[in-house]
Amino acid sequence: MHFNFKTNRIAIALAALMMVSGSMAWAQKLIDPKATKETTALYRNMHDLAKKHTLFGHQDATDYGHGWRDEPGRSDVRSVVGSHPAVVGVDIAPLTGRSKESIQKSEARLRKLVTDTYARGGITTISWHFSNPVSGDDFYWKDSVSLPAVKYIIPGGKNHQDYKVILQGLAGWFKSLKGANGEQIPLIFRPYHEFDGDWFWWGKAHCTPDEFKSLWQFTAGYLRDSLDVHNLIYAFSPDNKFNTVAEFTERYPGNNWVDLVGMDNYGDMGRDGKYDLKQAIKKLKIVNDFALENKKLAAMTETGLESIVNPVWYTDVLLKVLQTNKLNLAYVLVWRNDTKSPTHYYAPFPGHAAVPDFKKFFDDEYTLFESDLKNIYGK
């Protein structure tokens, strides 16, 4: 069977890596010195696996898919290849800016998604399409409606206390995520993504670099040091607007505040029929090299081709971009499969023309899915 063969090779490779590195102090440390042992193990194991593999991720994979919702055990990816993605994206947008009753319902639903993924041995990454906490509209910037909330919610801002209350609510949910033995479930937390664009209220046009850094540092510091949240891996992910290391790091809050660096890139990967794979490869190498130099994880935190209109996109585009340079990428995540839209999907489902190619992508030893992971939270 493919699963066993591939998994055994990975187990042997991991064991060899542990023998080599086991006697040495672990060089890549989380920014949280009190991180739980499971969170620390996940970080270490992702570093090890990234030397030869990249984990495949899909946003909202187990919550809903093309034409379905709320069917435990289902994902479009599993329906095609027999395994869930190794990384499942979950968005905590419903946990802020809603009524108390709505938030409580969403907390329970999302908690189950995270807990089920952890129980299967998979990994959860958290994004946050955070509704504007000052002007009260959604996460997108709307001219003449939205307010530049960053300057208001950072320390010294008139809405800073409101923001602390919001983080207190999130901290309670983060800490409520427990495994079978009562241990807290590790998460990759990726707030304020695509900040180099202007479409979100935290975007480049709506706050200065120093304001953004202050927001990031306060958020991570308050969760970690004041609210005792110790199960997070903090991920920094701009869009693809950079061309140099200096541009990539313009809003970087510093090595003491980030565990993982990534890039969201749809624009170079076929969106609107436009491919610039040389640029995608170049930018991914910038991310990868910065991560290696600064002892961070690296990832392609979002990508995809809507409707997968190119049926060989997964092997002919994505795999080539990932493998052109010998990169150490922890994971790549494609965006969601909307339950109602006939066109808004990024992973194939049964009957789609991209299924044969996706199976080749799955079979490639470079890619890891949930069925390939063994004891990702242990030694």
Side-chain angles (χ1 to χ4, degrees):
M1 287 287 289
H2 159 78
F3 295 131
N4 293 335
F5 176 71
K6 189 170 168 185
T7 300
N8 287 342
R9 288 181 65 108
I10 293 158
I12 292 166
L14 258 180
L17 282 166
M18 292 300 289
M19 287 175 65
V20 171
S21 61
S23 62
M24 298 184 291
W26 185 248
Q28 291 90 349
K29 294 193 184 305
L30 288 161
I31 65 166
D32 184 356
K34 295 181 181 178
T36 68
K37 67 178 183 179
E38 291 80 14
T39 308
T40 303
L42 174 62
Y43 195 61
R44 179 186 65 238
N45 289 332
M46 289 180 80
H47 271 288
D48 276 348
L49 288 173
K51 293 171 184 175
K52 292 189 176 180
H53 306 279
T54 291
L55 282 63
F56 176 74
H58 186 205
Q59 183 69 23
D60 296 322
T62 56
D63 193 11
Y64 54 81
H66 190 70
W68 63 272
R69 176 181 287 278
D70 295 329
E71 295 187 29
R74 185 172 179 178
S75 71
D76 285 340
V77 169
R78 186 184 183 192
S79 295
V80 169
V81 295
S83 171
H84 291 303
V87 179
V88 174
V90 170
D91 202 297
I92 56 169
L95 306 190
T96 54
R98 315 284 171 92
S99 70
K100 186 176 180 181
E101 182 184 8
S102 174
I103 287 173
Q104 286 176 342
K105 283 184 180 177
S106 295
E107 284 180 337
R109 183 176 62 82
L110 298 184
R111 184 182 298 113
K112 186 172 189 326
L113 289 174
V114 173
T115 304
D116 287 352
T117 294
Y118 178 73
R120 295 190 310 266
I123 300 164
T124 297
T125 180
I126 299 289
S127 53
W128 187 16
H129 284 86
F130 182 14
S131 296
N132 193 310
V134 180
S135 50
D137 50 317
D138 69 18
F139 48 89
Y140 282 122
W141 180 266
K142 296 185 181 69
D143 287 336
S144 78
V145 175
S146 303
L147 290 172
V150 173
K151 68 181 179 183
Y152 297 120
I153 64 174
I154 59 177
K158 67 183 179 69
N159 295 90
H160 182 57
Q161 290 303 317
D162 299 332
Y163 184 50
K164 289 171 77 171
V165 172
I166 290 168
L167 291 180
Q168 288 161 19
L170 292 185
W173 184 76
F174 288 145
K175 291 195 284 188
S176 77
L177 304 171
K178 300 284 181 67
N181 298 314
E183 75 279 19
Q184 291 184 351
I185 295 173
L187 303 168
I188 300 168
F189 181 41
R190 192 172 66 95
Y192 303 118
H193 66 299
E194 298 177 9
F195 51 80
D196 51 341
D198 298 335
W199 44 90
F200 298 138
W201 58 260
W202 57 84
K204 189 172 183 177
H206 317 303
C207 62
T208 67
D210 284 345
E211 287 169 346
F212 184 83
K213 291 175 189 178
S214 176
L215 174 64
W216 186 284
Q217 291 166 358
F218 175 77
T219 302
Y222 190 59
L223 288 169
R224 180 190 65 189
D225 304 331
S226 298
L227 301 176
D228 291 319
V229 177
H230 301 301
N231 54 330
L232 301 183
I233 294 170
Y234 291 88
F236 169 91
S237 63
D239 198 56
N240 69 330
K241 303 298 181 188
F242 62 92
N243 285 290
T244 64
V245 179
E247 290 174 346
F248 176 68
T249 57
E250 182 190 35
R251 291 172 183 247
Y252 186 66
N255 282 339
N256 292 334
W257 301 101
V258 173
D259 297 307
L260 182 154
V261 293
M263 167 183 68
D264 292 7
N265 193 346
Y266 300 91
D268 296 327
M269 300 287 287
R271 175 180 272 175
D272 300 324
K274 297 172 184 174
Y275 289 90
D276 196 339
L277 301 190
K278 285 185 178 179
Q279 279 292 93
I281 290 162
K282 171 189 165 186
K283 292 167 188 175
L284 209 50
K285 191 170 190 318
I286 289 172
V287 174
N288 175 81
D289 292 355
F290 179 85
L292 288 175
E293 288 164 16
N294 294 277
K295 297 182 172 63
K296 305 297 178 185
L297 276 178
M300 198 166 188
T301 41
E302 277 185 41
T303 189
L305 179 66
E306 190 171 28
S307 299
I308 328 172
V309 290
N310 174 356
V312 293
W313 184 85
Y314 272 93
T315 60
D316 203 42
V317 177
L318 182 59
L319 202 56
K320 284 182 180 177
V321 167
L322 296 175
Q323 291 186 307
T324 294
N325 295 304
K326 289 192 174 181
L327 304 178
N328 286 45
L329 293 179
Y331 71 90
V332 57
L333 180 138
V334 299
W335 200 238
R336 69 197 189 110
N337 287 10
D338 186 80
T339 187
K340 293 180 181 177
S341 170
T343 58
H344 190 68
Y345 58 84
Y346 291 82
F349 45 85
H352 192 277
V355 164
D357 184 65
F358 190 72
K359 287 181 176 177
K360 290 179 185 176
F361 177 82
F362 171 77
D363 282 329
D364 196 290
E365 288 190 2
Y366 179 75
T367 63
L368 301 185
F369 286 65
E370 189 177 271
S371 59
D372 298 313
L373 301 181
K374 299 299 173 192
N375 200 25
I376 194 75
Y377 298 101
K379 291 182 180 179

